[in-house]
Amino acid sequence: MLDLNDISVFVEVVRAGSFAAAGRRLGMPSNTISRRLQLLEESLGVRLLQRSTRQLNMTAAGREFFERCAPGIEDIQHAGASLSDGNREPGGILRVAAPADFFDNFAMEWMAEFMQRYPRVQLEFLLSDDRVDLIAEGIDLAFRAGQLPDSSLVARKLGASHRGLLASPSYLARRGAPESLEELARHDCLAASNTPQAALWKLEGPNGAESIRVAPRLCINTAQGLLRAARAGLGIALLPVMVAAEDLRRGTLVSILPQYQRDISGMYAVYPNRRQLSLAVSALIEFVAEKVKHGACNAGGGMEFAVPEAQAVA
């Protein structure tokens, strides 16, 4: 008879990607994990994993077994958590996926506040701009921005933002503020890359879609780099207002031609379609929603946030 504990270990090894990582999550030595997987393979009569010194790869049989077993193991884990949630505070390990620059925009002091508020919660952040498979990677929660693709996941919209034209007071004192979109062509502009596409700024204005071709003197391929350049007075940048919220509050950057915007998009908390979220996941979603909304209310520049009910991603 198959041992359910061995199956759970196998599922965790696949999600973690190594015996060592799985052992850290399970509090189990790597050699114990290896032995339990060997017993499971002997019980099944098939090899589930191809082991090498550098990586683990699932066999075809292993992939089929994982896809069949992982949802059931996850249901059992969450069933146990839901029974005890009513009698305890949020706790446990949360695996969270977020964009690579998440902590450039979400203050680490806020994270310290969350961890102080919920001392039994352990957080493991995976920062990447790749859209990871939440179920295959064992991710409890993901924070994503932009347009979401069709999915079986559930998403809660935390807010919406847009790109706006921003510059420092020192730059405007030196060069003056443009009074029309056409005047941008005579200003020092900051772009994401030195390509014709990056130099053609397409904006939504009072008369609908409009475009202006700028001649950027400085190109930086990250939003944080452009933010710092604009803050230093090097030119006018087209930046996500959410990224520049703190500068707008402090007045180190100001919005110019605010009637023109671009790329209105949302920020979402995304999670697998589960019947009931754990207290820890719910607590983190509510905390981030609170901070995002607070940041928006003080940012200016036309940011608009809402915290609606969760809905299936469509």
PDB file of all heavy atoms in Angstrom, residues 42-56:
ATOM      1  N   GLU A  42       9.838   2.071  -5.422  1.00  0.00           N
ATOM      2  CA  GLU A  42       9.765   0.612  -5.347  1.00  0.00           C
ATOM      3  C   GLU A  42       8.320   0.145  -5.209  1.00  0.00           C
ATOM      4  O   GLU A  42       7.923  -0.875  -5.808  1.00  0.00           O
ATOM      5  CB  GLU A  42      10.601   0.118  -4.159  1.00  0.00           C
ATOM      6  CG  GLU A  42      12.103   0.290  -4.363  1.00  0.00           C
ATOM      7  CD  GLU A  42      12.897  -0.062  -3.117  1.00  0.00           C
ATOM      8  OE1 GLU A  42      12.264  -0.376  -2.077  1.00  0.00           O
ATOM      9  OE2 GLU A  42      14.147  -0.002  -3.179  1.00  0.00           O
ATOM     10  N   SER A  43       7.503   0.871  -4.461  1.00  0.00           N
ATOM     11  CA  SER A  43       6.098   0.502  -4.309  1.00  0.00           C
ATOM     12  C   SER A  43       5.345   0.627  -5.624  1.00  0.00           C
ATOM     13  O   SER A  43       4.471  -0.185  -5.944  1.00  0.00           O
ATOM     14  CB  SER A  43       5.433   1.375  -3.243  1.00  0.00           C
ATOM     15  OG  SER A  43       6.028   1.192  -1.978  1.00  0.00           O
ATOM     16  N   LEU A  44       5.689   1.658  -6.388  1.00  0.00           N
ATOM     17  CA  LEU A  44       5.012   1.891  -7.668  1.00  0.00           C
ATOM     18  C   LEU A  44       5.578   1.031  -8.788  1.00  0.00           C
ATOM     19  O   LEU A  44       4.903   0.785  -9.795  1.00  0.00           O
ATOM     20  CB  LEU A  44       5.124   3.367  -8.061  1.00  0.00           C
ATOM     21  CG  LEU A  44       4.368   4.368  -7.184  1.00  0.00           C
ATOM     22  CD1 LEU A  44       4.789   5.790  -7.510  1.00  0.00           C
ATOM     23  CD2 LEU A  44       2.859   4.213  -7.365  1.00  0.00           C
ATOM     24  N   GLY A  45       6.835   0.636  -8.649  1.00  0.00           N
ATOM     25  CA  GLY A  45       7.485  -0.143  -9.698  1.00  0.00           C
ATOM     26  C   GLY A  45       7.928   0.693 -10.877  1.00  0.00           C
ATOM     27  O   GLY A  45       8.167   0.158 -11.968  1.00  0.00           O
ATOM     28  N   VAL A  46       8.060   2.012 -10.685  1.00  0.00           N
ATOM     29  CA  VAL A  46       8.517   2.906 -11.756  1.00  0.00           C
ATOM     30  C   VAL A  46       9.447   3.948 -11.152  1.00  0.00           C
ATOM     31  O   VAL A  46       9.412   4.233  -9.950  1.00  0.00           O
ATOM     32  CB  VAL A  46       7.347   3.635 -12.462  1.00  0.00           C
ATOM     33  CG1 VAL A  46       6.441   2.655 -13.182  1.00  0.00           C
ATOM     34  CG2 VAL A  46       6.546   4.470 -11.470  1.00  0.00           C
ATOM     35  N   ARG A  47      10.300   4.528 -11.991  1.00  0.00           N
ATOM     36  CA  ARG A  47      11.160   5.624 -11.559  1.00  0.00           C
ATOM     37  C   ARG A  47      10.415   6.936 -11.771  1.00  0.00           C
ATOM     38  O   ARG A  47       9.898   7.209 -12.855  1.00  0.00           O
ATOM     39  CB  ARG A  47      12.472   5.618 -12.327  1.00  0.00           C
ATOM     40  CG  ARG A  47      13.441   6.728 -11.899  1.00  0.00           C
ATOM     41  CD  ARG A  47      14.800   6.564 -12.556  1.00  0.00           C
ATOM     42  NE  ARG A  47      15.524   5.436 -11.983  1.00  0.00           N
ATOM     43  CZ  ARG A  47      16.225   5.484 -10.859  1.00  0.00           C
ATOM     44  NH1 ARG A  47      16.283   6.620 -10.167  1.00  0.00           N
ATOM     45  NH2 ARG A  47      16.862   4.427 -10.428  1.00  0.00           N
ATOM     46  N   LEU A  48      10.367   7.752 -10.733  1.00  0.00           N
ATOM     47  CA  LEU A  48       9.662   9.027 -10.792  1.00  0.00           C
ATOM     48  C   LEU A  48      10.593  10.195 -11.105  1.00  0.00           C
ATOM     49  O   LEU A  48      10.182  11.158 -11.758  1.00  0.00           O
ATOM     50  CB  LEU A  48       8.960   9.301  -9.451  1.00  0.00           C
ATOM     51  CG  LEU A  48       7.925   8.265  -9.007  1.00  0.00           C
ATOM     52  CD1 LEU A  48       7.432   8.581  -7.601  1.00  0.00           C
ATOM     53  CD2 LEU A  48       6.757   8.206  -9.988  1.00  0.00           C
ATOM     54  N   LEU A  49      11.836  10.117 -10.630  1.00  0.00           N
ATOM     55  CA  LEU A  49      12.786  11.211 -10.797  1.00  0.00           C
ATOM     56  C   LEU A  49      14.107  10.697 -11.348  1.00  0.00           C
ATOM     57  O   LEU A  49      14.581   9.625 -10.948  1.00  0.00           O
ATOM     58  CB  LEU A  49      13.055  11.908  -9.453  1.00  0.00           C
ATOM     59  CG  LEU A  49      11.884  12.638  -8.785  1.00  0.00           C
ATOM     60  CD1 LEU A  49      12.279  13.053  -7.388  1.00  0.00           C
ATOM     61  CD2 LEU A  49      11.458  13.841  -9.605  1.00  0.00           C
ATOM     62  N   GLN A  50      14.682  11.460 -12.270  1.00  0.00           N
ATOM     63  CA  GLN A  50      16.037  11.209 -12.728  1.00  0.00           C
ATOM     64  C   GLN A  50      16.965  12.103 -11.927  1.00  0.00           C
ATOM     65  O   GLN A  50      16.862  13.327 -11.974  1.00  0.00           O
ATOM     66  CB  GLN A  50      16.167  11.513 -14.232  1.00  0.00           C
ATOM     67  CG  GLN A  50      15.326  10.621 -15.126  1.00  0.00           C
ATOM     68  CD  GLN A  50      15.880   9.201 -15.210  1.00  0.00           C
ATOM     69  OE1 GLN A  50      16.921   8.890 -14.642  1.00  0.00           O
ATOM     70  NE2 GLN A  50      15.168   8.333 -15.924  1.00  0.00           N
ATOM     71  N   ARG A  51      17.861  11.511 -11.165  1.00  0.00           N
ATOM     72  CA  ARG A  51      18.727  12.266 -10.281  1.00  0.00           C
ATOM     73  C   ARG A  51      20.092  12.481 -10.928  1.00  0.00           C
ATOM     74  O   ARG A  51      20.637  11.571 -11.542  1.00  0.00           O
ATOM     75  CB  ARG A  51      18.892  11.534  -8.958  1.00  0.00           C
ATOM     76  CG  ARG A  51      17.571  11.258  -8.228  1.00  0.00           C
ATOM     77  CD  ARG A  51      17.755  10.119  -7.228  1.00  0.00           C
ATOM     78  NE  ARG A  51      16.580   9.842  -6.429  1.00  0.00           N
ATOM     79  CZ  ARG A  51      15.552   9.106  -6.830  1.00  0.00           C
ATOM     80  NH1 ARG A  51      15.546   8.578  -8.051  1.00  0.00           N
ATOM     81  NH2 ARG A  51      14.520   8.888  -6.032  1.00  0.00           N
ATOM     82  N   SER A  52      20.633  13.680 -10.773  1.00  0.00           N
ATOM     83  CA  SER A  52      22.003  13.957 -11.177  1.00  0.00           C
ATOM     84  C   SER A  52      22.623  14.839 -10.100  1.00  0.00           C
ATOM     85  O   SER A  52      21.956  15.250  -9.151  1.00  0.00           O
ATOM     86  CB  SER A  52      22.050  14.673 -12.536  1.00  0.00           C
ATOM     87  OG  SER A  52      21.562  15.993 -12.424  1.00  0.00           O
ATOM     88  N   THR A  53      23.895  15.131 -10.239  1.00  0.00           N
ATOM     89  CA  THR A  53      24.571  15.937  -9.220  1.00  0.00           C
ATOM     90  C   THR A  53      24.074  17.375  -9.219  1.00  0.00           C
ATOM     91  O   THR A  53      24.222  18.079  -8.222  1.00  0.00           O
ATOM     92  CB  THR A  53      26.094  15.932  -9.458  1.00  0.00           C
ATOM     93  OG1 THR A  53      26.348  16.390 -10.797  1.00  0.00           O
ATOM     94  CG2 THR A  53      26.663  14.535  -9.280  1.00  0.00           C
ATOM     95  N   ARG A  54      23.477  17.822 -10.313  1.00  0.00           N
ATOM     96  CA  ARG A  54      23.091  19.227 -10.414  1.00  0.00           C
ATOM     97  C   ARG A  54      21.595  19.468 -10.352  1.00  0.00           C
ATOM     98  O   ARG A  54      21.152  20.528  -9.946  1.00  0.00           O
ATOM     99  CB  ARG A  54      23.637  19.827 -11.723  1.00  0.00           C
ATOM    100  CG  ARG A  54      25.153  19.873 -11.762  1.00  0.00           C
ATOM    101  CD  ARG A  54      25.631  20.775 -12.864  1.00  0.00           C
ATOM    102  NE  ARG A  54      27.072  20.957 -12.843  1.00  0.00           N
ATOM    103  CZ  ARG A  54      27.717  21.814 -13.611  1.00  0.00           C
ATOM    104  NH1 ARG A  54      27.041  22.564 -14.470  1.00  0.00           N
ATOM    105  NH2 ARG A  54      29.033  21.923 -13.530  1.00  0.00           N
ATOM    106  N   GLN A  55      20.786  18.502 -10.786  1.00  0.00           N
ATOM    107  CA  GLN A  55      19.364  18.773 -10.843  1.00  0.00           C
ATOM    108  C   GLN A  55      18.552  17.492 -10.797  1.00  0.00           C
ATOM    109  O   GLN A  55      19.073  16.395 -10.950  1.00  0.00           O
ATOM    110  CB  GLN A  55      19.020  19.552 -12.116  1.00  0.00           C
ATOM    111  CG  GLN A  55      19.336  18.795 -13.402  1.00  0.00           C
ATOM    112  CD  GLN A  55      19.024  19.619 -14.641  1.00  0.00           C
ATOM    113  OE1 GLN A  55      18.589  20.753 -14.537  1.00  0.00           O
ATOM    114  NE2 GLN A  55      19.223  19.047 -15.805  1.00  0.00           N
ATOM    115  N   LEU A  56      17.253  17.675 -10.557  1.00  0.00           N
ATOM    116  CA  LEU A  56      16.294  16.589 -10.593  1.00  0.00           C
ATOM    117  C   LEU A  56      15.348  16.815 -11.759  1.00  0.00           C
ATOM    118  O   LEU A  56      14.914  17.946 -11.996  1.00  0.00           O
ATOM    119  CB  LEU A  56      15.476  16.542  -9.296  1.00  0.00           C
ATOM    120  CG  LEU A  56      16.224  16.222  -7.997  1.00  0.00           C
ATOM    121  CD1 LEU A  56      15.280  16.384  -6.818  1.00  0.00           C
ATOM    122  CD2 LEU A  56      16.779  14.815  -8.037  1.00  0.00           C
TER     123      LEU A  56
END
